[in-house]
């Protein structure tokens, strides 16, 4: 997969290292020349320049990218880059970093953002997920809030314990995509038996998320 990452700060650099470690082709765009020598990213293809300049994006051959990640520390830059990537270069998938949670409402498809990643919100969700058992926790918004990734940790005394996945009347608007048990991910089938302290992960619409809350509150 070909990925362009805009912003080579601590967040952008970490993303680049992870993507390269998974064998993806990565182009890094940053306006600061000294960023090239930072964070052990010298072996990547670099473009030095302002990513809000269409000429810089054209130099990066953005039209050939599968994904662009706007990961700078400036929300305005991330929005502009996402919009130009989609409207001018036809990049099929855009990911925008949200630095200020107050700006999150703007990171939608009107600005060309497919997935908005808010670090403060994600940290909050992870904290909630770590301490809350028996409640549905939203981990991530997908497709401009039209879908969400949610987690539920099954309490020991819950009615779901010892039932199979196929026996549970899951909402049509929510799909069980994974079970995390003892640190190992499981691709769920109808025959899998749910155990206490299993972490269940769902993709859901807004209505589906509400129905999950009601299902697990039983």
């Amino acid at each position: 997969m070909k990925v362009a990452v805009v912003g080579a700060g601590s967040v952008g650099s970490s993303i680049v290292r992870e993507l390269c470690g998974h064998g993806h082709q990565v182009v890094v765009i940053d306006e600061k020349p000294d960023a090239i020598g930072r964070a052990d990213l010298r072996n990547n293809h670099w473009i030095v320049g302002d990513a809000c300049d269409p000429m810089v994006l054209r130099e990066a051959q953005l039209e050939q990218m599968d994904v662009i990640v706007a990961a700078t520390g400036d929300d305005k830059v991330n929005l502009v880059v996402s919009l130009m990537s989609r409207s001018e270069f036809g990049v099929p998938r855009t990911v925008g970093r949200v630095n200020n949670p107050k700006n999150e409402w703007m990171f939608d498809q009107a600005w060309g953002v497919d997935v908005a990643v808010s670090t403060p919100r994600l940290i909050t969700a992870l904290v909630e997920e770590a301490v809350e058992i028996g409640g549905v926790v939203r981990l991530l918004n997908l497709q401009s809030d039209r879908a969400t990734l949610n987690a539920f940790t099954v309490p020991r005394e819950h009615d779901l314990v010892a039932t199979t996945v196929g026996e549970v009347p899951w909402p049509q608007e929510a799909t069980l995509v994974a079970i995390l048990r003892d640190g190992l991910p499981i691709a769920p089938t109808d025959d899998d038996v749910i155990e206490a302290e299993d972490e269940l992960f769902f993709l859901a619409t807004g209505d589906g998320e509400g129905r999950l809350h009601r299902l697990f509150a039983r």
Side-chain angles (χ1 to χ4, degrees):
M1 183 170 65
K2 294 183 178 179
V3 184
V5 176
V6 177
S10 57
V11 173
S13 297
S14 297
I15 293 170
V16 172
R17 284 195 295 270
E18 288 291 325
L19 289 170
C20 290
H22 286 81
H24 300 296
Q25 299 179 42
V26 183
V27 175
V28 188
I29 305 172
D30 197 288
E31 63 181 351
K32 299 178 181 179
D34 61 348
I36 297 177
R38 191 193 307 138
D40 193 27
L41 301 177
R42 293 181 179 86
N43 294 328
N44 291 277
H45 181 196
W46 280 83
I47 302 293
V48 177
D50 182 358
C52 293
D53 183 347
M55 295 299 295
V56 173
L57 298 181
R58 189 166 291 110
E59 182 183 354
Q61 297 182 319
L62 218 63
E63 67 279 359
Q64 298 182 16
M65 297 297 150
D66 300 301
V67 182
I68 186 165
V69 181
T72 77
D74 189 326
D75 286 344
K76 296 188 295 295
V77 171
N78 294 340
L79 284 171
V80 171
V81 168
S82 297
L83 181 60
M84 287 198 299
S85 299
R86 174 59 55 77
S87 61
E88 299 297 325
F89 297 93
V91 179
R93 193 73 170 164
T94 61
V95 179
R97 173 189 175 189
V98 185
N99 297 278
N100 186 341
K102 293 181 179 179
N103 296 331
E104 191 170 4
W105 64 274
M106 292 188 290
F107 282 72
D108 59 16
Q109 290 193 336
W111 279 92
V113 180
D114 291 310
V115 179
V117 180
S118 171
T119 303
R121 172 171 286 192
L122 182 57
I123 291 174
T124 300
L126 291 173
V127 170
E128 290 176 343
E129 196 270 337
V131 301
E132 184 171 344
I133 295 179
V136 178
V137 178
R138 180 185 295 185
L139 300 178
L140 193 63
N141 293 337
L142 304 170
Q143 289 192 338
S144 305
D145 290 342
R146 290 186 297 177
T148 58
L149 177 64
N150 302 271
F152 176 80
T153 302
V154 182
R156 288 189 172 275
E157 69 281 1
H158 200 277
D159 291 345
L160 287 179
V161 175
T163 62
T164 65
V165 170
E167 292 174 329
V168 182
W170 307 112
Q172 290 185 350
E173 302 87 353
T175 301
L176 177 64
V177 294
I179 299 173
L180 189 64
R181 179 179 299 159
D182 298 328
L184 297 176
I186 299 171
T189 67
D190 285 346
D191 295 328
D192 284 311
V193 177
I194 298 173
E195 299 182 5
E197 299 186 1
D198 277 352
E199 290 187 68
L200 311 180
F201 293 87
F202 298 87
L203 288 179
T205 64
D207 290 341
E209 186 176 355
R211 290 189 172 94
L212 284 174
H213 279 277
R214 293 191 288 273
L215 172 67
F216 294 132
R218 295 187 308 173

